[in-house]
Amino acid sequence: MRVKTFYGWSEKGMDKKVNEFLEDTTLEIIDIKFPTPVFYFCAMVMYKTTAYSKNSIE
């Protein structure tokens, strides 16, 4: 299992970053954590690479 952390100063900006990451069809998304800090937005995506993509994702 791997994680990718995102942050943004606006909801729209962070949504764009996360959605672009989720477009990768070689990933199996396990969970997305979304805490609610005061001054910015952040999310942590937990995922696994598929057998096909293990050598191509870093």
Side-chain angles (χ1 to χ4, degrees), residues 15-55:
D15 286 348
K16 181 180 177 186
K17 293 175 188 178
V18 173
N19 285 330
E20 287 174 357
F21 181 77
L22 295 177
E23 287 178 359
D24 186 346
T25 59
T26 63
L27 302 177
E28 176 187 345
I29 305 302
I30 298 168
D31 196 7
I32 299 177
K33 303 293 185 187
F34 185 78
T36 53
V38 176
F39 297 109
Y40 59 94
F41 296 90
C42 62
M44 180 177 70
V45 177
M46 295 184 289
Y47 67 96
K48 287 195 269 187
T49 56
T50 61
Y52 175 76
S53 66
K54 284 192 185 231
N55 295 328

